[in-house]
Structure formats: structure tokens, C-alpha cells
Amino acid sequence: MKDKKLNQLFAAARSETSPAVPAGFAERVQRSLAAEAEPVVIGFIDQINRNFTRYAVSAAAAIMLCAAVELNQSFQQEPSIDDDVEQICSDWMLR
């Protein structure tokens, strides 16, 4: 927007009369601020209850992933991780 047009809009806004404030507006603002000022304490159990489904789904996914890896390892004909670790340890001990 050009500066001239922007200045015209601001000048028009300044010449307008401001809207009337409703009666009791200040009291309503004070009451709403006082109501929001109280701190909200959320306990550990409340957090667990609120997020239980997320934790349950995450745990189930982790268990399924571990089971899939275990099944994959049991059906492979290659040496297992235990054999690899044993080989590394025996090589390290001989040095």
C-alpha cells in the first residue's frame, strides 16, 4: 500500500468518533482478570491420566517393534548379534 493511501486511511480513522464504552466494562475486565489469576496446578497423576492413550499406543508400538526384530533375527541364517559380540570380545582380549 502506498504511503499516501495509508496516511489517508489513518486521517479518516482519526476523524471518526470512537465507539462508546459499555457500562460496567472496567468491572467485567477486573473480574475476568481476577478469575484467570489463580494458578492451575496439574499433578503427575493428572498428566498420566490425560496422556494414557498416547503412552499405551507408544508402549504397544515399542513391544511390536521389538517382537518383529526378534522374529527377524530368529529366522535369519546369518550369525546372531551374540556371536558378533563374542567375536569382538575375544579379539579384544587376545590383543
Coordinates of all heavy atoms in Angstrom, one line a residue:
M1 N 0.8 -1.2 0.0 CA 0.0 0.0 0.0 C 0.9 1.2 0.0 O 1.9 1.3 0.7 CB -0.9 0.0 1.2 CG -2.0 1.0 1.2 SD -3.1 0.8 2.6 CE -4.2 -0.5 2.1
K2 N 0.5 2.2 -0.8 CA 1.3 3.4 -0.9 C 1.1 4.3 0.4 O 0.1 4.2 1.1 CB 0.9 4.2 -2.1 CG 1.2 3.5 -3.4 CD 0.8 4.3 -4.6 CE 1.1 3.5 -5.9 NZ 0.7 4.3 -7.0
D3 N 2.2 5.1 0.7 CA 2.2 5.9 1.9 C 1.0 6.9 1.9 O 0.4 7.2 2.9 CB 3.5 6.6 2.0 CG 4.6 5.7 2.5 OD1 4.3 4.6 3.0 OD2 5.8 6.0 2.2
K4 N 0.7 7.5 0.7 CA -0.3 8.5 0.6 C -1.7 7.9 1.0 O -2.4 8.4 1.7 CB -0.4 9.0 -0.8 CG -1.4 10.1 -1.0 CD -1.3 10.7 -2.4 CE -2.4 11.7 -2.6 NZ -2.5 12.2 -4.0
K5 N -1.9 6.7 0.4 CA -3.2 6.0 0.7 C -3.3 5.6 2.2 O -4.3 5.7 2.9 CB -3.3 4.8 -0.2 CG -4.6 4.0 0.0 CD -5.7 4.8 -0.5 CE -7.0 4.0 -0.6 NZ -8.2 4.7 -1.0
L6 N -2.2 5.2 2.8 CA -2.1 4.8 4.2 C -2.4 6.0 5.0 O -3.1 5.9 6.0 CB -0.7 4.2 4.5 CG -0.6 3.5 5.8 CD1 -1.6 2.4 6.0 CD2 0.8 3.0 6.0
N7 N -1.8 7.1 4.7 CA -2.0 8.3 5.5 C -3.4 8.8 5.4 O -4.0 9.3 6.4 CB -1.0 9.4 5.0 CG 0.4 9.2 5.5 OD1 0.6 8.5 6.5 ND2 1.4 9.7 4.7
Q8 N -4.0 8.6 4.2 CA -5.5 9.0 4.1 C -6.3 8.1 5.0 O -7.3 8.6 5.6 CB -5.9 8.9 2.6 CG -5.4 9.9 1.7 CD -5.8 9.7 0.3 OE1 -6.3 8.6 -0.1 NE2 -5.6 10.7 -0.6
L9 N -6.0 6.8 5.0 CA -6.8 5.9 5.9 C -6.6 6.3 7.4 O -7.6 6.3 8.1 CB -6.4 4.5 5.6 CG -6.8 3.9 4.3 CD1 -6.2 2.5 4.1 CD2 -8.3 3.8 4.2
F10 N -5.4 6.6 7.8 CA -5.2 7.0 9.2 C -5.9 8.3 9.5 O -6.5 8.4 10.6 CB -3.7 7.1 9.5 CG -3.0 5.8 9.7 CD1 -1.8 5.5 9.2 CD2 -3.6 4.8 10.5 CE1 -1.2 4.3 9.4 CE2 -3.0 3.6 10.7 CZ -1.8 3.3 10.1
A11 N -5.9 9.2 8.6 CA -6.6 10.5 8.8 C -8.1 10.3 8.9 O -8.8 10.9 9.8 CB -6.3 11.5 7.7
A12 N -8.6 9.4 8.1 CA -10.1 9.1 8.2 C -10.4 8.4 9.5 O -11.5 8.7 10.1 CB -10.5 8.3 7.0
A13 N -9.5 7.6 9.9 CA -9.8 6.9 11.2 C -9.7 7.8 12.4 O -10.5 7.7 13.3 CB -8.8 5.8 11.4
R14 N -8.8 8.8 12.3 CA -8.7 9.8 13.4 C -9.9 10.7 13.5 O -10.3 11.2 14.5 CB -7.4 10.6 13.2 CG -6.2 9.9 13.7 CD -5.0 10.9 13.7 NE -3.8 10.1 13.3 CZ -3.2 10.2 12.1 NH1 -3.6 11.1 11.2 NH2 -2.2 9.5 11.8
S15 N -10.5 11.0 12.3 CA -11.7 11.9 12.3 C -13.0 11.2 12.8 O -13.9 11.9 13.2 CB -11.9 12.5 10.9 OG -12.2 11.4 10.0
E16 N -13.0 9.9 12.8 CA -14.2 9.2 13.3 C -14.3 9.3 14.8 O -13.3 9.4 15.5 CB -14.1 7.7 12.9 CG -14.2 7.4 11.4 CD -15.6 7.7 10.9 OE1 -16.6 7.3 11.6 OE2 -15.8 8.2 9.8
T17 N -15.5 9.3 15.3 CA -15.7 9.3 16.7 C -15.5 7.9 17.3 O -15.9 6.9 16.6 CB -17.1 9.8 17.1 OG1 -18.1 8.9 16.5 CG2 -17.3 11.2 16.6
S18 N -14.9 7.8 18.4 CA -14.7 6.5 19.0 C -16.0 5.9 19.5 O -16.9 6.6 20.0 CB -13.6 6.6 20.1 OG -14.1 7.4 21.1
P19 N -16.1 4.6 19.5 CA -17.3 4.0 20.0 C -17.5 4.1 21.5 O -16.5 4.2 22.2 CB -17.2 2.5 19.6 CG -15.7 2.3 19.4 CD -15.2 3.6 19.0
A20 N -18.7 4.2 21.9 CA -19.0 4.3 23.4 C -18.6 3.0 24.1 O -18.9 1.9 23.6 CB -20.5 4.7 23.6
V21 N -18.1 3.2 25.3 CA -17.7 2.1 26.1 C -19.0 1.6 26.9 O -19.7 2.4 27.5 CB -16.6 2.5 27.1 CG1 -16.2 1.3 28.0 CG2 -15.4 3.0 26.4
P22 N -19.3 0.3 26.9 CA -20.4 -0.2 27.6 C -20.3 0.1 29.1 O -19.2 0.1 29.6 CB -20.5 -1.7 27.2 CG -19.4 -1.9 26.2 CD -18.6 -0.7 26.1
A23 N -21.4 0.2 29.7 CA -21.5 0.4 31.2 C -20.9 -0.9 31.9 O -21.2 -2.0 31.5 CB -22.9 0.7 31.6
G24 N -20.1 -0.7 32.8 CA -19.5 -1.8 33.6 C -18.4 -2.5 32.9 O -18.1 -3.6 33.4
F25 N -17.9 -2.0 31.9 CA -16.8 -2.6 31.1 C -15.6 -2.9 32.0 O -15.0 -4.0 32.0 CB -16.4 -1.8 29.9 CG -15.3 -2.4 29.1 CD1 -15.5 -3.5 28.3 CD2 -14.0 -1.8 29.1 CE1 -14.5 -4.1 27.6 CE2 -13.0 -2.4 28.4 CZ -13.3 -3.5 27.6
A26 N -15.2 -1.8 32.8 CA -14.0 -2.0 33.6 C -14.2 -3.0 34.7 O -13.2 -3.8 35.0 CB -13.7 -0.6 34.3
E27 N -15.3 -3.1 35.3 CA -15.6 -4.1 36.3 C -15.5 -5.6 35.7 O -15.0 -6.5 36.4 CB -16.9 -3.9 37.0 CG -17.0 -2.7 37.9 CD -17.2 -1.4 37.1 OE1 -17.7 -1.5 35.9 OE2 -16.9 -0.3 37.6
R28 N -16.1 -5.7 34.5 CA -16.0 -7.0 33.9 C -14.6 -7.5 33.6 O -14.2 -8.6 33.7 CB -16.9 -7.0 32.6 CG -18.4 -7.0 32.9 CD -19.1 -7.2 31.6 NE -18.8 -6.1 30.7 CZ -19.3 -5.9 29.5 NH1 -20.1 -6.8 29.0 NH2 -18.9 -4.9 28.8
V29 N -13.8 -6.5 33.2 CA -12.4 -6.8 32.9 C -11.7 -7.2 34.2 O -10.9 -8.2 34.2 CB -11.7 -5.6 32.2 CG1 -10.2 -5.8 32.1 CG2 -12.3 -5.4 30.8
Q30 N -11.9 -6.5 35.2 CA -11.3 -6.8 36.5 C -11.7 -8.2 37.0 O -10.9 -8.9 37.5 CB -11.6 -5.7 37.6 CG -10.9 -4.4 37.4 CD -9.4 -4.5 37.8 OE1 -8.9 -5.6 38.0 NE2 -8.8 -3.4 37.7
R31 N -13.0 -8.5 36.9 CA -13.4 -9.8 37.3 C -12.8 -10.9 36.5 O -12.4 -12.0 37.0 CB -15.0 -9.9 37.2 CG -15.7 -9.3 38.4 CD -17.1 -9.7 38.4 NE -17.8 -9.4 37.2 CZ -18.5 -8.3 36.9 NH1 -18.6 -7.3 37.9 NH2 -19.1 -8.1 35.8
S32 N -12.7 -10.7 35.2 CA -12.1 -11.8 34.4 C -10.6 -12.0 34.6 O -10.1 -13.1 34.6 CB -12.4 -11.5 32.9 OG -11.7 -10.4 32.5
L33 N -9.9 -10.9 34.9 CA -8.5 -11.0 35.2 C -8.3 -11.6 36.6 O -7.4 -12.4 36.7 CB -7.9 -9.6 35.2 CG -7.7 -8.9 33.9 CD1 -7.1 -7.5 34.0 CD2 -6.8 -9.8 33.0
A34 N -9.2 -11.3 37.5 CA -9.0 -12.0 38.8 C -9.3 -13.5 38.8 O -8.7 -14.3 39.4 CB -10.0 -11.3 39.8
A35 N -10.3 -13.9 37.9 CA -10.6 -15.3 37.8 C -9.4 -16.0 37.1 O -9.2 -17.2 37.4 CB -11.9 -15.4 36.9
E36 N -8.7 -15.4 36.2 CA -7.6 -16.1 35.5 C -6.3 -16.0 36.2 O -5.4 -16.7 35.9 CB -7.4 -15.4 34.1 CG -8.5 -15.6 33.1 CD -8.3 -14.9 31.8 OE1 -7.2 -14.3 31.6 OE2 -9.2 -15.0 31.0
A37 N -6.3 -15.2 37.3 CA -5.0 -15.0 38.0 C -4.7 -16.2 38.9 O -3.5 -16.4 39.3 CB -5.1 -13.8 38.9
E38 N -5.7 -17.1 39.2 CA -5.4 -18.2 40.1 C -4.6 -19.3 39.3 O -4.9 -19.6 38.2 CB -6.7 -18.8 40.5 CG -7.6 -17.9 41.4 CD -8.9 -18.4 41.7 OE1 -9.2 -19.6 41.4 OE2 -9.8 -17.7 42.2
P39 N -3.5 -19.7 39.9 CA -2.7 -20.7 39.2 C -3.4 -22.1 39.1 O -4.1 -22.5 40.0 CB -1.4 -20.8 40.1 CG -1.9 -20.4 41.4 CD -3.0 -19.4 41.2
V40 N -3.2 -22.7 38.0 CA -3.7 -24.1 37.8 C -2.6 -25.1 38.1 O -1.6 -25.0 37.5 CB -4.2 -24.2 36.4 CG1 -4.7 -25.6 36.1 CG2 -5.3 -23.2 36.1
V41 N -2.9 -25.9 39.1 CA -1.9 -27.0 39.4 C -2.3 -28.3 38.8 O -3.4 -28.8 39.0 CB -1.8 -27.1 41.0 CG1 -0.8 -28.2 41.4 CG2 -1.5 -25.8 41.6
I42 N -1.4 -28.8 38.0 CA -1.7 -30.1 37.4 C -0.7 -31.1 38.0 O 0.5 -31.0 37.9 CB -1.5 -30.0 35.9 CG1 -2.5 -29.0 35.3 CG2 -1.7 -31.4 35.2 CD1 -2.3 -28.8 33.8
G43 N -1.3 -32.1 38.6 CA -0.4 -33.2 39.2 C 0.1 -34.2 38.3 O -0.3 -34.3 37.1
F44 N 1.0 -35.0 38.8 CA 1.6 -36.0 38.0 C 0.6 -37.1 37.5 O 0.6 -37.5 36.3 CB 2.7 -36.7 38.8 CG 3.4 -37.8 38.0 CD1 4.2 -37.5 37.0 CD2 3.2 -39.1 38.4 CE1 4.9 -38.5 36.3 CE2 3.9 -40.2 37.7 CZ 4.7 -39.9 36.6
I45 N -0.3 -37.5 38.4 CA -1.3 -38.5 38.1 C -2.3 -37.9 37.0 O -2.7 -38.6 36.1 CB -2.1 -38.9 39.3 CG1 -1.1 -39.5 40.4 CG2 -3.2 -39.8 39.0 CD1 -0.4 -40.7 39.9
D46 N -2.6 -36.6 37.1 CA -3.5 -36.0 36.1 C -2.8 -36.0 34.7 O -3.5 -36.2 33.7 CB -3.8 -34.5 36.5 CG -4.6 -34.4 37.8 OD1 -5.4 -35.4 38.1 OD2 -4.5 -33.4 38.5
Q47 N -1.5 -35.8 34.7 CA -0.9 -35.8 33.4 C -0.9 -37.2 32.8 O -1.0 -37.4 31.6 CB 0.6 -35.3 33.5 CG 0.7 -33.8 33.8 CD 2.1 -33.4 33.9 OE1 3.0 -34.2 33.9 NE2 2.3 -32.1 34.0
I48 N -0.7 -38.2 33.7 CA -0.7 -39.6 33.2 C -2.1 -40.0 32.7 O -2.2 -40.6 31.6 CB -0.2 -40.6 34.3 CG1 1.3 -40.4 34.5 CG2 -0.5 -42.0 34.0 CD1 1.9 -41.2 35.6
N49 N -3.1 -39.6 33.5 CA -4.5 -39.9 33.0 C -4.8 -39.2 31.7 O -5.5 -39.8 30.9 CB -5.5 -39.4 34.1 CG -5.4 -40.4 35.3 OD1 -5.0 -41.5 35.2 ND2 -5.9 -39.9 36.4
R50 N -4.4 -38.0 31.5 CA -4.7 -37.2 30.3 C -4.0 -37.8 29.1 O -4.5 -37.8 28.0 CB -4.2 -35.8 30.5 CG -4.6 -34.9 29.3 CD -4.2 -33.5 29.5 NE -5.0 -32.9 30.7 CZ -4.6 -32.0 31.5 NH1 -3.4 -31.5 31.3 NH2 -5.3 -31.6 32.5
N51 N -2.8 -38.3 29.3 CA -2.0 -38.8 28.1 C -1.9 -40.4 28.1 O -1.0 -40.9 27.5 CB -0.6 -38.2 28.2 CG -0.6 -36.8 28.0 OD1 -1.4 -36.2 27.2 ND2 0.2 -36.1 28.7
F52 N -2.8 -41.1 28.8 CA -2.7 -42.5 28.9 C -2.8 -43.2 27.6 O -2.0 -44.1 27.3 CB -3.8 -43.1 29.8 CG -3.7 -44.6 30.0 CD1 -2.8 -45.2 30.7 CD2 -4.6 -45.4 29.3 CE1 -2.7 -46.6 30.8 CE2 -4.6 -46.7 29.4 CZ -3.6 -47.3 30.1
T53 N -3.6 -42.8 26.7 CA -3.8 -43.5 25.4 C -2.5 -43.3 24.6 O -2.1 -44.2 23.9 CB -5.0 -42.9 24.6 OG1 -4.9 -41.5 24.5 CG2 -6.3 -43.3 25.3
R54 N -1.9 -42.1 24.7 CA -0.6 -41.9 23.9 C 0.5 -42.9 24.5 O 1.2 -43.5 23.7 CB -0.1 -40.5 24.0 CG -1.0 -39.5 23.3 CD -0.5 -38.1 23.5 NE -1.4 -37.2 22.9 CZ -1.2 -35.9 23.0 NH1 -0.3 -35.4 23.7 NH2 -2.1 -35.1 22.4
Y55 N 0.6 -43.0 25.8 CA 1.6 -43.8 26.4 C 1.3 -45.3 26.0 O 2.2 -46.1 25.8 CB 1.6 -43.7 27.9 CG 2.0 -42.3 28.3 CD1 1.5 -41.7 29.5 CD2 2.9 -41.5 27.6 CE1 1.8 -40.4 29.9 CE2 3.3 -40.3 28.0 CZ 2.7 -39.7 29.2 OH 3.1 -38.5 29.6
A56 N 0.0 -45.7 26.1 CA -0.3 -47.1 25.8 C 0.0 -47.4 24.3 O 0.6 -48.5 24.0 CB -1.8 -47.3 26.1
V57 N -0.3 -46.5 23.4 CA 0.0 -46.8 22.0 C 1.5 -46.8 21.7 O 2.0 -47.7 21.0 CB -0.7 -45.7 21.1 CG1 -0.3 -45.8 19.7 CG2 -2.2 -45.9 21.2
S58 N 2.2 -45.9 22.4 CA 3.7 -45.9 22.2 C 4.3 -47.2 22.8 O 5.2 -47.8 22.2 CB 4.3 -44.7 22.9 OG 3.8 -43.5 22.4
A59 N 3.8 -47.7 23.9 CA 4.3 -48.9 24.5 C 4.0 -50.1 23.6 O 4.9 -51.0 23.4 CB 3.8 -49.1 25.9
A60 N 2.8 -50.1 23.1 CA 2.4 -51.3 22.2 C 3.3 -51.3 21.0 O 3.7 -52.3 20.5 CB 0.9 -51.2 21.9
A61 N 3.5 -50.1 20.4 CA 4.3 -50.0 19.2 C 5.8 -50.4 19.5 O 6.4 -51.1 18.7 CB 4.3 -48.6 18.7
A62 N 6.3 -50.1 20.6 CA 7.7 -50.5 21.0 C 7.7 -52.0 21.2 O 8.7 -52.6 20.8 CB 8.1 -49.8 22.3
I63 N 6.7 -52.6 21.8 CA 6.7 -54.0 22.0 C 6.6 -54.8 20.7 O 7.3 -55.7 20.4 CB 5.5 -54.4 22.9 CG1 5.8 -53.9 24.4 CG2 5.3 -55.9 22.9 CD1 4.7 -54.0 25.3
M64 N 5.8 -54.2 19.8 CA 5.6 -54.9 18.5 C 6.9 -54.8 17.7 O 7.3 -55.7 17.0 CB 4.5 -54.3 17.7 CG 3.1 -54.6 18.3 SD 1.7 -53.8 17.6 CE 2.0 -53.9 15.8
L65 N 7.6 -53.6 17.8 CA 8.9 -53.4 17.1 C 9.9 -54.4 17.6 O 10.6 -55.1 16.8 CB 9.4 -52.0 17.2 CG 10.7 -51.7 16.5 CD1 10.5 -51.8 15.0 CD2 11.2 -50.3 16.9
C66 N 10.0 -54.5 18.9 CA 11.0 -55.5 19.5 C 10.6 -56.9 19.1 O 11.6 -57.7 18.8 CB 11.0 -55.4 21.0 SG 11.7 -53.8 21.6
A67 N 9.4 -57.3 19.1 CA 9.0 -58.6 18.7 C 9.3 -58.9 17.2 O 9.8 -60.0 16.9 CB 7.5 -58.8 18.9
A68 N 9.1 -57.9 16.4 CA 9.4 -58.1 14.9 C 10.9 -58.2 14.7 O 11.4 -59.1 13.9 CB 8.9 -56.9 14.2
V69 N 11.7 -57.5 15.5 CA 13.2 -57.6 15.3 C 13.6 -59.0 15.9 O 14.5 -59.6 15.2 CB 13.9 -56.5 16.1 CG1 15.4 -56.7 16.3 CG2 13.7 -55.1 15.4
E70 N 13.0 -59.4 16.9 CA 13.4 -60.7 17.5 C 13.0 -61.9 16.5 O 13.8 -62.8 16.3 CB 12.7 -60.9 18.8 CG 13.1 -62.2 19.5 CD 14.5 -62.2 20.0 OE1 15.1 -61.1 20.3 OE2 15.1 -63.3 20.1
L71 N 11.9 -61.8 15.9 CA 11.5 -62.8 14.9 C 12.4 -62.8 13.7 O 12.7 -63.8 13.2 CB 10.0 -62.6 14.5 CG 8.9 -63.0 15.5 CD1 7.6 -62.6 15.0 CD2 9.0 -64.5 15.7
N72 N 12.7 -61.6 13.3 CA 13.6 -61.4 12.1 C 15.0 -62.1 12.4 O 15.5 -62.8 11.6 CB 13.7 -60.0 11.7 CG 14.5 -59.8 10.5 OD1 14.6 -60.7 9.6 ND2 15.1 -58.6 10.3
Q73 N 15.5 -61.8 13.6 CA 16.8 -62.4 14.0 C 16.7 -63.9 14.1 O 17.7 -64.6 13.8 CB 17.2 -61.8 15.3 CG 17.7 -60.3 15.2 CD 19.0 -60.2 14.5 OE1 19.8 -61.1 14.6 NE2 19.1 -59.1 13.7
S74 N 15.6 -64.4 14.6 CA 15.5 -65.9 14.8 C 15.4 -66.6 13.4 O 15.8 -67.8 13.4 CB 14.3 -66.2 15.7 OG 13.1 -65.9 15.0
F75 N 14.9 -66.0 12.4 CA 14.7 -66.7 11.1 C 15.9 -66.4 10.2 O 16.0 -67.1 9.1 CB 13.4 -66.2 10.4 CG 12.2 -66.8 11.0 CD1 11.2 -65.9 11.5 CD2 12.0 -68.2 11.2 CE1 10.1 -66.5 12.1 CE2 10.9 -68.7 11.7 CZ 9.9 -67.8 12.2
Q76 N 16.8 -65.6 10.5 CA 18.0 -65.3 9.6 C 19.0 -66.5 9.8 O 19.2 -67.0 10.9 CB 18.6 -64.0 10.0 CG 17.8 -62.8 9.4 CD 18.6 -61.5 9.6 OE1 19.6 -61.5 10.4 NE2 18.1 -60.5 9.0
Q77 N 19.7 -66.8 8.7 CA 20.7 -67.8 8.8 C 22.1 -67.2 9.1 O 23.0 -68.0 9.3 CB 20.7 -68.5 7.4 CG 19.5 -69.2 7.1 CD 19.1 -70.3 8.1 OE1 19.9 -70.9 8.7 NE2 17.8 -70.5 8.3
E78 N 22.1 -65.9 9.2 CA 23.4 -65.3 9.5 C 23.7 -65.4 10.9 O 22.8 -65.6 11.8 CB 23.3 -63.8 9.0 CG 23.1 -63.6 7.6 CD 22.9 -62.1 7.2 OE1 23.0 -61.3 8.1 OE2 22.6 -61.9 6.0
P79 N 25.0 -65.2 11.3 CA 25.3 -65.2 12.7 C 24.5 -64.1 13.5 O 24.2 -63.1 13.0 CB 26.8 -64.9 12.8 CG 27.3 -65.1 11.4 CD 26.1 -64.9 10.5
S80 N 24.2 -64.4 14.7 CA 23.4 -63.5 15.5 C 24.3 -62.4 16.1 O 25.5 -62.4 16.0 CB 22.7 -64.3 16.7 OG 23.7 -64.7 17.6
I81 N 23.7 -61.5 16.7 CA 24.4 -60.4 17.4 C 25.3 -60.9 18.5 O 26.4 -60.4 18.7 CB 23.4 -59.3 17.9 CG1 22.7 -58.7 16.7 CG2 24.1 -58.3 18.7 CD1 21.6 -57.7 17.1
D82 N 24.8 -61.9 19.2 CA 25.6 -62.5 20.3 C 26.9 -63.1 19.8 O 27.9 -62.9 20.4 CB 24.8 -63.6 21.0 CG 23.6 -63.1 21.7 OD1 23.5 -61.9 22.0 OD2 22.6 -63.9 22.0
D83 N 26.8 -63.7 18.6 CA 28.1 -64.2 18.0 C 29.0 -63.1 17.7 O 30.3 -63.2 17.9 CB 27.8 -65.1 16.8 CG 27.0 -66.3 17.1 OD1 27.0 -66.8 18.3 OD2 26.3 -66.8 16.2
D84 N 28.5 -62.0 17.1 CA 29.3 -60.9 16.7 C 30.0 -60.3 18.0 O 31.2 -59.9 18.0 CB 28.5 -59.8 16.0 CG 28.0 -60.3 14.7 OD1 28.6 -61.3 14.1 OD2 27.0 -59.7 14.2
V85 N 29.2 -60.1 19.0 CA 29.7 -59.5 20.3 C 30.8 -60.4 20.9 O 31.9 -60.0 21.3 CB 28.6 -59.2 21.3 CG1 29.2 -58.8 22.6 CG2 27.7 -58.1 20.7
E86 N 30.6 -61.7 20.8 CA 31.5 -62.7 21.4 C 32.8 -62.6 20.6 O 33.9 -62.7 21.2 CB 30.9 -64.1 21.3 CG 31.8 -65.1 21.9 CD 31.2 -66.5 21.9 OE1 30.0 -66.6 21.8 OE2 32.0 -67.5 22.0
Q87 N 32.7 -62.5 19.3 CA 33.9 -62.4 18.4 C 34.7 -61.2 18.7 O 35.9 -61.2 18.8 CB 33.5 -62.5 16.9 CG 34.6 -62.4 16.0 CD 35.5 -63.6 16.0 OE1 35.1 -64.7 16.3 NE2 36.8 -63.4 15.8
I88 N 34.0 -60.0 18.9 CA 34.7 -58.8 19.2 C 35.4 -58.8 20.5 O 36.5 -58.4 20.6 CB 33.7 -57.6 19.1 CG1 33.2 -57.4 17.7 CG2 34.3 -56.3 19.7 CD1 32.0 -56.4 17.6
C89 N 34.7 -59.4 21.5 CA 35.3 -59.5 22.8 C 36.6 -60.4 22.8 O 37.6 -60.1 23.4 CB 34.3 -60.0 23.8 SG 33.0 -58.8 24.2
S90 N 36.5 -61.6 22.1 CA 37.6 -62.5 22.1 C 38.8 -61.8 21.3 O 39.9 -62.0 21.7 CB 37.2 -63.8 21.5 OG 36.8 -63.6 20.1
D91 N 38.5 -61.1 20.2 CA 39.6 -60.4 19.5 C 40.2 -59.4 20.4 O 41.4 -59.2 20.4 CB 39.0 -59.8 18.2 CG 38.7 -60.8 17.2 OD1 39.1 -62.0 17.3 OD2 38.0 -60.4 16.2
W92 N 39.4 -58.6 21.2 CA 40.0 -57.6 22.0 C 40.8 -58.2 23.2 O 41.8 -57.6 23.5 CB 38.8 -56.8 22.6 CG 39.3 -55.6 23.4 CD1 39.9 -54.5 23.0 CD2 39.2 -55.5 24.9 NE1 40.1 -53.7 24.1 CE2 39.7 -54.3 25.2 CE3 38.7 -56.4 25.8 CZ2 39.8 -53.9 26.5 CZ3 38.8 -56.0 27.1 CH2 39.3 -54.7 27.5
M93 N 40.4 -59.3 23.7 CA 41.1 -59.9 24.8 C 42.5 -60.5 24.3 O 43.4 -60.6 25.1 CB 40.3 -61.1 25.4 CG 39.1 -60.6 26.1 SD 39.5 -59.5 27.5 CE 39.7 -60.7 28.8
L94 N 42.6 -60.9 23.0 CA 43.8 -61.5 22.5 C 44.9 -60.5 22.2 O 46.0 -60.8 22.0 CB 43.5 -62.4 21.3 CG 42.7 -63.6 21.6 CD1 42.4 -64.3 20.2 CD2 43.4 -64.6 22.5
R95 N 44.5 -59.2 22.1 CA 45.5 -58.2 21.8 C 46.3 -57.8 22.9 O 46.3 -57.8 24.0 CB 44.8 -56.9 21.2 CG 44.2 -57.2 19.9 CD 43.6 -56.0 19.3 NE 43.0 -56.3 18.1 CZ 42.5 -55.5 17.2 NH1 42.6 -54.2 17.4 NH2 42.0 -55.9 16.1

